[in-house]
């Protein structure tokens, strides 16, 4: 398989000072309700195209929920959900990342033209993932992860969350590089909400510069996460978390992140536009 050119630069450069925006496309039974299979495919493609029109550089397609407490999904079900969508998006020229912990799904997605592998387990859930990253040459998003969603809330114990997450990411990086993954293919993600309390998520956001000293581009995924609800009236809908998400995107841009993963692309784009306009 040829090594694809990722649609996004791993590092921010002077020529590309803005963080890239990854639009979230969750392909789960409840995400595109109503209609049969083909209507759902159409709805997914339409939503992805709208995110690109709103300013996303990349669309992240995932079929397995990683919400706290979520059970694992059989791999064949995951593939039936995401692969047709990935194929349709690539055919329309939309740059795709695949959000999966399964090496076989990543490999199949790469074969269809996905350009980025986004693994919330950073390659820990499936020992074949590093090999797939090496073989495909795709950009690899390595998230901080301490275990599957069913039990992750019990693992949110840290001495200093910034120091510990930084050390654990550093260890994971070393293992991946020893196994043959090219350093310039790696993007790091602190994994907001994954084995982290609300307070720990805020600490990590404040600690982005410290995570940046690892010398790798950073991606953050704060969008619509539960910790943002603490800022809002009780019973506010999840979409009420979008202004807070966009604000985090601008502040993360200021902290030097390479990318943000969001649901509401237009709001984050506006926030990053503001950040950019305010650059001295
Ligand atoms: N969060 C979720 C799923 N995938 N990938 C990365 N790299 N970083 C994240 O923070 C992340 C992710 C869960 O959020 P969702 O259910 O809103 O997709």
């Amino acid at each position: 398989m040829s090594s694809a050119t990722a649609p996004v630069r791993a590092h921010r450069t002077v020529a590309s000072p803005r963080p890239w925006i990854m639009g979230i496309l969750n392909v789960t039974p409840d995400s595109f309700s109503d209609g049969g299979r083909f209507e759902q495919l159409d709805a997914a493609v339409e939503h992805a195209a709208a995110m690109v029109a709103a300013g996303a550089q990349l669309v992240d397609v995932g079929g397995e929920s990683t919400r706290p407490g979520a059970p694992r999904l059989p791999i064949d079900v995951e593939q039936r959900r995401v692969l047709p969508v990935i194929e349709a998006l690539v055919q329309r020229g939309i740059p795709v990342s695949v959000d999966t912990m399964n090496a076989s799904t990543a490999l199949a997605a790469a074969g269809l033209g996905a350009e980025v592998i986004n693994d919330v387990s950073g390659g820990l859930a499936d020992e074949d993932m590093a090999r797939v990253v090496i073989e495909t040459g795709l950009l690899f998003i390595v998230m901080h992860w301490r275990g599957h969603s069913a039990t992750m809330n019990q693992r949110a114990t840290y001495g200093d969350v910034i120091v510990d997450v930084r050390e654990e990411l550093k260890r994971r990086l070393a293992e991946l590089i020893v196994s043959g993954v090219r350093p310039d293919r790696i993007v790091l993600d602190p994994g907001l909400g994954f084995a982290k309390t609300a307070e720990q998520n805020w600490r990590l956001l404040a600690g982005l510069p410290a995570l940046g000293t690892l010398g790798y581009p950073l991606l953050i995924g704060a969008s619509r996460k539960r910790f943002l609800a603490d800022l809002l009236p009780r019973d506010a809908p999840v979409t009420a978390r979008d202004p807070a998400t966009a604000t985090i995107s601008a502040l993360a841009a200021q902290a030097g992140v390479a990318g943000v993963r969001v649901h509401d692309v237009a709001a984050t784009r506006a926030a990053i536009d503001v950040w950019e306009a305010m650059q001295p």
Side-chain angles (χ1 to χ4, degrees):
M1 186 177 308
S2 70
S3 148
T5 309
V8 289
R9 290 185 180 86
H11 285 274
R12 270 164 66 186
T13 64
V14 177
S16 173
R18 294 165 60 97
W20 34 269
I21 301 173
M22 175 194 252
I24 300 171
L25 187 65
N26 285 328
V27 195
T28 49
D30 52 347
S31 37
F32 295 98
S33 48
D34 310 330
R37 249 183 115 55
F38 292 107
E39 283 148 61
Q40 284 181 28
L41 184 65
D42 282 350
V45 171
E46 202 179 304
H47 185 57
M51 289 195 289
V52 170
Q57 279 76 45
L58 189 65
V59 171
D60 192 37
V61 182
E64 178 173 6
S65 171
T66 49
R67 296 225 157 73
R72 292 302 311 273
L73 188 72
I75 296 180
D76 59 322
V77 177
E78 179 195 46
Q79 296 189 355
R80 275 202 301 277
R81 286 183 187 175
V82 300
L83 296 180
V85 174
I86 291 171
E87 187 173 27
L89 297 186
V90 170
Q91 275 168 6
R92 285 159 183 77
I94 295 177
V96 168
S97 89
V98 59
D99 185 348
T100 185
M101 288 182 272
N102 296 310
S104 62
T105 305
L107 186 63
L112 293 172
E115 297 180 59
V116 177
I117 298 171
N118 175 27
D119 180 353
V120 297
S121 82
L124 286 169
D126 186 335
E127 61 182 12
D128 291 332
M129 188 62 92
R131 184 180 50 76
V132 169
V133 172
I134 295 162
E135 275 178 24
T136 60
L138 297 191
L139 206 61
F140 186 37
I141 298 171
V142 176
M143 204 189 77
H144 176 262
W145 187 81
R146 283 186 163 184
H148 287 290
S149 299
T151 56
M152 69 181 174
N153 279 351
Q154 297 150 34
R155 299 175 209 262
T157 47
Y158 299 87
D160 177 317
V161 70
I162 300 171
V163 173
D164 294 356
V165 167
R166 189 181 181 284
E167 277 312 301
E168 287 167 36
L169 282 173
K170 196 172 160 187
R171 202 179 320 140
R172 185 84 277 260
L173 271 169
E175 289 162 359
L176 288 168
I177 289 165
V178 164
S179 75
V181 175
R182 276 172 45 185
D184 67 357
R185 300 284 77 202
I186 296 176
V187 173
L188 297 179
D189 181 336
L192 300 174
F194 287 80
K196 280 113 192 155
T197 63
E199 192 191 338
Q200 289 160 352
N201 291 329
W202 291 117
R203 286 268 301 137
L204 283 168
L205 284 168
L208 286 174
L211 298 176
T213 62
L214 286 170
Y216 285 79
L218 296 177
L219 171 84
I220 59 150
S223 189
R224 293 186 184 171
K225 287 194 175 160
R226 171 77 221 122
F227 73 109
L228 302 177
D230 299 345
L231 306 173
L232 296 166
R234 216 187 297 221
D235 301 331
V238 285
T239 49
R241 302 173 192 174
D242 289 337
T245 303
T247 306
I248 290 173
S249 295
L251 295 170
Q254 181 66 23
V257 301
V260 289
R261 178 181 181 277
V262 298
H263 297 85
D264 182 350
V265 172
T268 270
R269 186 199 176 148
I272 293 175
D273 285 347
V274 169
W275 165 78
E276 192 176 44
M278 284 180 65
Q279 293 312 292

